[in-house]
Amino acid sequence: MSAPTPKLGETGSLVDRLVVLIRDAIIAGEFAPGEHIRIKPLADSHGVSLIPVREALSRLLSTRIVIAEPNRGYFVAPAPTDETFCQFRLFRELFEVSAVELGFDNVTEADITRLTNLNGKMRSIAEGRPGKKQLVNWGQLNGAFHEVLVGLACNPFIMQQQVELSFVHMYFQIARSETVDFGILKTLATEHDGLIEALKSRDKDTLLQRLSSHINRTV
């Protein structure tokens, strides 16, 4: 009798679920930057064939946390250089500030409450003793925080891009974690408070200025 197939979740296609599993494993640091992602062991570990794993990895190429090399296969993207990270941060600033400006008038009290709750959880991490695992949790919460802001635009195409940006940012955080000063997390949480206050007072100019500065300070 064959071993039972591990559960991959209940929603989405098999490939969709593998995309999430592989992506989350990379974000969680289970694969090192630059590591070769071997398809057969990955397929065996999830009780699936090689084909859906290949398709999942192919989809992950668009997130830039996975790369492909001819005749060699798939690899976790290498840790970003300082120049690459600066280029990413510039793009993120242009994209996110524009999206928030577009959707500013759509903010609700429910949005403000969700932002406040997310930032409270991030502050708890910042006030603890952060390590790589805590940085992953921080990255997930931070991604959700900024998705609320970008979600004000009420545009599914913008949101799809924001989700991908969040995963790239989380991966970059983990890949650079050896050089990150975790003390900055308290500063970032305080800056989140400033963003929330600007939303509460419906001060768009202050919100956009603070958001731009915040993105350029991020780890």
Side-chain angles (χ1 to χ4, degrees), residues 18 22 31 36-58 72-75:
L18 285 168
I22 297 169
F31 294 91
H36 187 196
I37 304 174
R38 301 185 183 280
I39 294 176
K40 188 174 188 311
L42 197 55
D44 290 345
S45 69
H46 292 299
V48 299
S49 68
L50 304 182
I51 294 174
V53 174
R54 286 196 184 97
E55 186 172 343
L57 289 169
S58 178
R72 296 193 64 205
Y74 294 95
F75 294 80

